[in-house]
Amino acid sequence: MNKNRNGKILWGLFFIIAAVYIILNRYICFPHINIFKLLITVFFVLMLIEGLRRVDFFEILFSIACICILYSRHLRLTAITPFPLLIAALFGSIGLTMIFGKKNRPYIWNNSNYNNSTGSTNEQYNGENIFCKNSFGSVIKHVNSANFRGAQLSNSFGSMVIHFDNAIIQENSAYINIENSFGETQLYIPKEWKIQKNLQRTFGSVNENGTISGTSNVTLYINGETTFGEIRIFYI
């Protein structure tokens, strides 16, 4: 069972619990239960479980912080809620992510073809596989590969722009894996390619511009996530 399926099951249980309570509440009185608080608690508990499963420190710490805020009187935390606790969760999430990183995804290429490129601006790239990492900066890359196979992109606290419009996929498919946090990653993709996306958001957004025609026989798989940032895909 893949992680998307697990996530759907968790959120499905949340809505089932909400539905059951609404029905039962018509026949049974729950005078000491605050339904809104209960549902919000279940929501953040599921968010915590999902964060632990994905090893996402932002989801883990923010869900714990929000639960503590809900029950601050019982936990005697009123002196540090809500904003000090939320700020502490934010800084803690940033620090843990920078130290431990995120859960690794499998790479799709052989290390013999692996190329590491960091910090360069407006670079032309002709290899089969590309690794680009940017932190607190801005990079622009043009992938002119005659046999593009895959890219691993990591962007934090900066701007990353990658042009794939001159890349050629010789095999049936290619992959792009993205980790974006507190920044913006822009991809320029040929509209003729077929696209399969698996992009997750944690307080972030994924936006697409343009229209896919999908007339090519090749498929590009775009996987990854954005945390407090944005992934923008332009089909050209």
mmCIF file of all heavy atoms in Angstrom, residues 198-229:
data_model
loop_
_atom_site.group_PDB
_atom_site.id
_atom_site.type_symbol
_atom_site.label_atom_id
_atom_site.label_comp_id
_atom_site.label_asym_id
_atom_site.label_seq_id
_atom_site.Cartn_x
_atom_site.Cartn_y
_atom_site.Cartn_z
ATOM 1 N N ASN A 198 2.989 13.625 -8.551
ATOM 2 C CA ASN A 198 2.740 13.206 -7.169
ATOM 3 C C ASN A 198 3.429 14.234 -6.273
ATOM 4 O O ASN A 198 4.520 14.008 -5.766
ATOM 5 C CB ASN A 198 3.280 11.801 -6.916
ATOM 6 C CG ASN A 198 3.051 11.346 -5.478
ATOM 7 O OD1 ASN A 198 2.225 11.911 -4.760
ATOM 8 N ND2 ASN A 198 3.807 10.356 -5.047
ATOM 9 N N LEU A 199 2.786 15.371 -6.110
ATOM 10 C CA LEU A 199 3.363 16.500 -5.379
ATOM 11 C C LEU A 199 2.532 16.769 -4.135
ATOM 12 O O LEU A 199 1.317 16.983 -4.222
ATOM 13 C CB LEU A 199 3.405 17.751 -6.265
ATOM 14 C CG LEU A 199 4.334 17.666 -7.482
ATOM 15 C CD1 LEU A 199 4.132 18.864 -8.404
ATOM 16 C CD2 LEU A 199 5.788 17.582 -7.029
ATOM 17 N N GLN A 200 3.179 16.757 -2.988
ATOM 18 C CA GLN A 200 2.494 16.974 -1.722
ATOM 19 C C GLN A 200 2.813 18.360 -1.179
ATOM 20 O O GLN A 200 3.874 18.924 -1.464
ATOM 21 C CB GLN A 200 2.898 15.896 -0.713
ATOM 22 C CG GLN A 200 2.565 14.488 -1.189
ATOM 23 C CD GLN A 200 2.824 13.440 -0.138
ATOM 24 O OE1 GLN A 200 2.995 13.752 1.035
ATOM 25 N NE2 GLN A 200 2.856 12.188 -0.545
ATOM 26 N N ARG A 201 1.880 18.900 -0.369
ATOM 27 C CA ARG A 201 2.008 20.253 0.169
ATOM 28 C C ARG A 201 1.887 20.223 1.687
ATOM 29 O O ARG A 201 1.006 19.571 2.213
ATOM 30 C CB ARG A 201 0.921 21.171 -0.392
ATOM 31 C CG ARG A 201 0.719 21.083 -1.892
ATOM 32 C CD ARG A 201 -0.598 21.736 -2.290
ATOM 33 N NE ARG A 201 -0.908 21.626 -3.695
ATOM 34 C CZ ARG A 201 -1.476 20.577 -4.267
ATOM 35 N NH1 ARG A 201 -1.808 19.524 -3.534
ATOM 36 N NH2 ARG A 201 -1.720 20.554 -5.559
ATOM 37 N N THR A 202 2.781 20.943 2.325
ATOM 38 C CA THR A 202 2.664 21.200 3.758
ATOM 39 C C THR A 202 2.765 22.703 3.938
ATOM 40 O O THR A 202 3.853 23.270 3.870
ATOM 41 C CB THR A 202 3.779 20.483 4.557
ATOM 42 O OG1 THR A 202 3.743 19.083 4.270
ATOM 43 C CG2 THR A 202 3.580 20.699 6.046
ATOM 44 N N PHE A 203 1.637 23.366 4.100
ATOM 45 C CA PHE A 203 1.582 24.819 4.165
ATOM 46 C C PHE A 203 2.266 25.429 2.941
ATOM 47 O O PHE A 203 2.989 26.420 3.038
ATOM 48 C CB PHE A 203 2.243 25.340 5.453
ATOM 49 C CG PHE A 203 1.633 24.796 6.711
ATOM 50 C CD1 PHE A 203 2.278 23.803 7.442
ATOM 51 C CD2 PHE A 203 0.407 25.249 7.166
ATOM 52 C CE1 PHE A 203 1.717 23.284 8.594
ATOM 53 C CE2 PHE A 203 -0.159 24.739 8.321
ATOM 54 C CZ PHE A 203 0.500 23.756 9.041
ATOM 55 N N GLY A 204 2.046 24.832 1.793
ATOM 56 C CA GLY A 204 2.621 25.323 0.547
ATOM 57 C C GLY A 204 1.609 25.198 -0.578
ATOM 58 O O GLY A 204 0.449 24.848 -0.360
ATOM 59 N N SER A 205 2.061 25.451 -1.800
ATOM 60 C CA SER A 205 1.146 25.403 -2.938
ATOM 61 C C SER A 205 1.857 24.863 -4.169
ATOM 62 O O SER A 205 3.076 24.973 -4.307
ATOM 63 C CB SER A 205 0.575 26.797 -3.241
ATOM 64 O OG SER A 205 1.614 27.697 -3.613
ATOM 65 N N VAL A 206 1.060 24.278 -5.063
ATOM 66 C CA VAL A 206 1.528 23.811 -6.367
ATOM 67 C C VAL A 206 0.620 24.414 -7.420
ATOM 68 O O VAL A 206 -0.606 24.224 -7.373
ATOM 69 C CB VAL A 206 1.498 22.269 -6.460
ATOM 70 C CG1 VAL A 206 1.888 21.817 -7.863
ATOM 71 C CG2 VAL A 206 2.423 21.649 -5.421
ATOM 72 N N ASN A 207 1.198 25.163 -8.346
ATOM 73 C CA ASN A 207 0.413 25.830 -9.376
ATOM 74 C C ASN A 207 0.920 25.444 -10.759
ATOM 75 O O ASN A 207 2.123 25.280 -10.968
ATOM 76 C CB ASN A 207 0.489 27.356 -9.209
ATOM 77 C CG ASN A 207 -0.156 27.824 -7.917
ATOM 78 O OD1 ASN A 207 -1.314 27.520 -7.645
ATOM 79 N ND2 ASN A 207 0.586 28.551 -7.107
ATOM 80 N N GLU A 208 -0.027 25.315 -11.694
ATOM 81 C CA GLU A 208 0.311 24.956 -13.064
ATOM 82 C C GLU A 208 -0.181 26.045 -14.010
ATOM 83 O O GLU A 208 -1.274 26.584 -13.835
ATOM 84 C CB GLU A 208 -0.325 23.619 -13.435
ATOM 85 C CG GLU A 208 0.174 22.459 -12.578
ATOM 86 C CD GLU A 208 -0.539 21.155 -12.895
ATOM 87 O OE1 GLU A 208 -0.161 20.501 -13.878
ATOM 88 O OE2 GLU A 208 -1.489 20.812 -12.147
ATOM 89 N N ASN A 209 0.637 26.337 -15.018
ATOM 90 C CA ASN A 209 0.298 27.336 -16.015
ATOM 91 C C ASN A 209 0.465 26.732 -17.407
ATOM 92 O O ASN A 209 1.442 26.041 -17.676
ATOM 93 C CB ASN A 209 1.202 28.573 -15.884
ATOM 94 C CG ASN A 209 1.131 29.215 -14.508
ATOM 95 O OD1 ASN A 209 1.854 28.837 -13.598
ATOM 96 N ND2 ASN A 209 0.256 30.184 -14.346
ATOM 97 N N GLY A 210 -0.492 27.013 -18.274
ATOM 98 C CA GLY A 210 -0.445 26.453 -19.615
ATOM 99 C C GLY A 210 -1.267 25.181 -19.705
ATOM 100 O O GLY A 210 -1.849 24.702 -18.725
ATOM 101 N N THR A 211 -1.290 24.605 -20.904
ATOM 102 C CA THR A 211 -2.108 23.427 -21.185
ATOM 103 C C THR A 211 -1.237 22.300 -21.723
ATOM 104 O O THR A 211 -0.378 22.520 -22.571
ATOM 105 C CB THR A 211 -3.204 23.753 -22.212
ATOM 106 O OG1 THR A 211 -3.984 24.847 -21.724
ATOM 107 C CG2 THR A 211 -4.113 22.554 -22.431
ATOM 108 N N ILE A 212 -1.460 21.098 -21.207
ATOM 109 C CA ILE A 212 -0.729 19.928 -21.676
ATOM 110 C C ILE A 212 -1.421 19.363 -22.918
ATOM 111 O O ILE A 212 -2.629 19.101 -22.894
ATOM 112 C CB ILE A 212 -0.672 18.849 -20.582
ATOM 113 C CG1 ILE A 212 -0.011 19.390 -19.311
ATOM 114 C CG2 ILE A 212 0.079 17.619 -21.076
ATOM 115 C CD1 ILE A 212 -0.079 18.425 -18.141
ATOM 116 N N SER A 213 -0.658 19.152 -23.986
ATOM 117 C CA SER A 213 -1.224 18.507 -25.170
ATOM 118 C C SER A 213 -1.015 16.996 -25.120
ATOM 119 O O SER A 213 -1.845 16.229 -25.609
ATOM 120 C CB SER A 213 -0.593 19.085 -26.443
ATOM 121 O OG SER A 213 0.803 18.805 -26.496
ATOM 122 N N GLY A 214 0.114 16.543 -24.531
ATOM 123 C CA GLY A 214 0.362 15.121 -24.360
ATOM 124 C C GLY A 214 0.487 14.344 -25.649
ATOM 125 O O GLY A 214 0.154 13.160 -25.704
ATOM 126 N N THR A 215 0.982 14.980 -26.706
ATOM 127 C CA THR A 215 1.083 14.313 -28.002
ATOM 128 C C THR A 215 2.316 13.423 -28.117
ATOM 129 O O THR A 215 2.409 12.599 -29.030
ATOM 130 C CB THR A 215 1.106 15.364 -29.120
ATOM 131 O OG1 THR A 215 2.191 16.288 -28.881
ATOM 132 C CG2 THR A 215 -0.203 16.141 -29.173
ATOM 133 N N SER A 216 3.274 13.575 -27.199
ATOM 134 C CA SER A 216 4.481 12.763 -27.231
ATOM 135 C C SER A 216 4.221 11.366 -26.674
ATOM 136 O O SER A 216 3.234 11.133 -25.965
ATOM 137 C CB SER A 216 5.591 13.451 -26.430
ATOM 138 O OG SER A 216 6.726 12.624 -26.318
ATOM 139 N N ASN A 217 5.122 10.432 -26.993
ATOM 140 C CA ASN A 217 5.003 9.068 -26.481
ATOM 141 C C ASN A 217 5.715 8.876 -25.152
ATOM 142 O O ASN A 217 5.686 7.786 -24.584
ATOM 143 C CB ASN A 217 5.572 8.066 -27.505
ATOM 144 C CG ASN A 217 4.732 7.998 -28.768
ATOM 145 O OD1 ASN A 217 3.510 8.109 -28.722
ATOM 146 N ND2 ASN A 217 5.396 7.815 -29.903
ATOM 147 N N VAL A 218 6.382 9.914 -24.649
ATOM 148 C CA VAL A 218 7.146 9.785 -23.406
ATOM 149 C C VAL A 218 6.345 10.370 -22.245
ATOM 150 O O VAL A 218 5.464 11.218 -22.429
ATOM 151 C CB VAL A 218 8.514 10.498 -23.519
ATOM 152 C CG1 VAL A 218 9.329 9.913 -24.649
ATOM 153 C CG2 VAL A 218 8.333 11.998 -23.697
ATOM 154 N N THR A 219 6.688 9.904 -21.032
ATOM 155 C CA THR A 219 6.005 10.353 -19.820
ATOM 156 C C THR A 219 7.019 10.898 -18.830
ATOM 157 O O THR A 219 8.060 10.266 -18.594
ATOM 158 C CB THR A 219 5.233 9.196 -19.157
ATOM 159 O OG1 THR A 219 4.277 8.672 -20.076
ATOM 160 C CG2 THR A 219 4.506 9.683 -17.901
ATOM 161 N N LEU A 220 6.730 12.061 -18.270
ATOM 162 C CA LEU A 220 7.556 12.651 -17.229
ATOM 163 C C LEU A 220 6.842 12.491 -15.889
ATOM 164 O O LEU A 220 5.707 12.932 -15.728
ATOM 165 C CB LEU A 220 7.809 14.135 -17.508
ATOM 166 C CG LEU A 220 8.636 14.873 -16.443
ATOM 167 C CD1 LEU A 220 10.069 14.367 -16.430
ATOM 168 C CD2 LEU A 220 8.598 16.380 -16.669
ATOM 169 N N TYR A 221 7.531 11.872 -14.915
ATOM 170 C CA TYR A 221 6.986 11.706 -13.573
ATOM 171 C C TYR A 221 7.578 12.778 -12.673
ATOM 172 O O TYR A 221 8.802 12.865 -12.518
ATOM 173 C CB TYR A 221 7.322 10.321 -13.025
ATOM 174 C CG TYR A 221 6.664 9.191 -13.793
ATOM 175 C CD1 TYR A 221 7.293 8.643 -14.910
ATOM 176 C CD2 TYR A 221 5.416 8.698 -13.423
ATOM 177 C CE1 TYR A 221 6.691 7.616 -15.630
ATOM 178 C CE2 TYR A 221 4.809 7.682 -14.135
ATOM 179 C CZ TYR A 221 5.451 7.142 -15.246
ATOM 180 O OH TYR A 221 4.847 6.133 -15.956
ATOM 181 N N ILE A 222 6.708 13.611 -12.092
ATOM 182 C CA ILE A 222 7.147 14.683 -11.207
ATOM 183 C C ILE A 222 6.707 14.336 -9.794
ATOM 184 O O ILE A 222 5.509 14.306 -9.492
ATOM 185 C CB ILE A 222 6.563 16.047 -11.632
ATOM 186 C CG1 ILE A 222 6.889 16.339 -13.096
ATOM 187 C CG2 ILE A 222 7.105 17.157 -10.742
ATOM 188 C CD1 ILE A 222 6.281 17.642 -13.610
ATOM 189 N N ASN A 223 7.672 14.070 -8.917
ATOM 190 C CA ASN A 223 7.398 13.682 -7.542
ATOM 191 C C ASN A 223 8.033 14.687 -6.584
ATOM 192 O O ASN A 223 9.004 15.351 -6.930
ATOM 193 C CB ASN A 223 7.966 12.288 -7.246
ATOM 194 C CG ASN A 223 7.479 11.250 -8.234
ATOM 195 O OD1 ASN A 223 6.286 11.106 -8.454
ATOM 196 N ND2 ASN A 223 8.411 10.540 -8.853
ATOM 197 N N GLY A 224 7.489 14.770 -5.381
ATOM 198 C CA GLY A 224 8.119 15.619 -4.379
ATOM 199 C C GLY A 224 7.113 16.312 -3.489
ATOM 200 O O GLY A 224 5.946 15.938 -3.420
ATOM 201 N N GLU A 225 7.608 17.352 -2.818
ATOM 202 C CA GLU A 225 6.755 18.097 -1.896
ATOM 203 C C GLU A 225 7.290 19.503 -1.703
ATOM 204 O O GLU A 225 8.466 19.794 -1.939
ATOM 205 C CB GLU A 225 6.664 17.370 -0.552
ATOM 206 C CG GLU A 225 7.976 17.271 0.200
ATOM 207 C CD GLU A 225 7.806 16.540 1.528
ATOM 208 O OE1 GLU A 225 6.877 16.895 2.281
ATOM 209 O OE2 GLU A 225 8.589 15.618 1.798
ATOM 210 N N THR A 226 6.400 20.370 -1.259
ATOM 211 C CA THR A 226 6.775 21.733 -0.924
ATOM 212 C C THR A 226 6.278 22.059 0.479
ATOM 213 O O THR A 226 5.152 21.720 0.844
ATOM 214 C CB THR A 226 6.214 22.748 -1.944
ATOM 215 O OG1 THR A 226 6.580 24.080 -1.544
ATOM 216 C CG2 THR A 226 4.705 22.655 -2.067
ATOM 217 N N THR A 227 7.135 22.693 1.274
ATOM 218 C CA THR A 227 6.820 23.064 2.643
ATOM 219 C C THR A 227 7.024 24.569 2.792
ATOM 220 O O THR A 227 8.135 25.068 2.573
ATOM 221 C CB THR A 227 7.733 22.326 3.635
ATOM 222 O OG1 THR A 227 7.612 20.909 3.429
ATOM 223 C CG2 THR A 227 7.352 22.653 5.069
ATOM 224 N N PHE A 228 5.955 25.297 3.127
ATOM 225 C CA PHE A 228 6.023 26.750 3.235
ATOM 226 C C PHE A 228 6.675 27.352 1.993
ATOM 227 O O PHE A 228 7.553 28.219 2.077
ATOM 228 C CB PHE A 228 6.802 27.171 4.494
ATOM 229 C CG PHE A 228 6.034 26.990 5.773
ATOM 230 C CD1 PHE A 228 6.228 25.864 6.551
ATOM 231 C CD2 PHE A 228 5.115 27.930 6.186
ATOM 232 C CE1 PHE A 228 5.522 25.684 7.734
ATOM 233 C CE2 PHE A 228 4.401 27.758 7.360
ATOM 234 C CZ PHE A 228 4.606 26.637 8.134
ATOM 235 N N GLY A 229 6.271 26.901 0.848
ATOM 236 C CA GLY A 229 6.825 27.414 -0.405
ATOM 237 C C GLY A 229 5.903 27.087 -1.557
ATOM 238 O O GLY A 229 4.778 26.614 -1.372
#
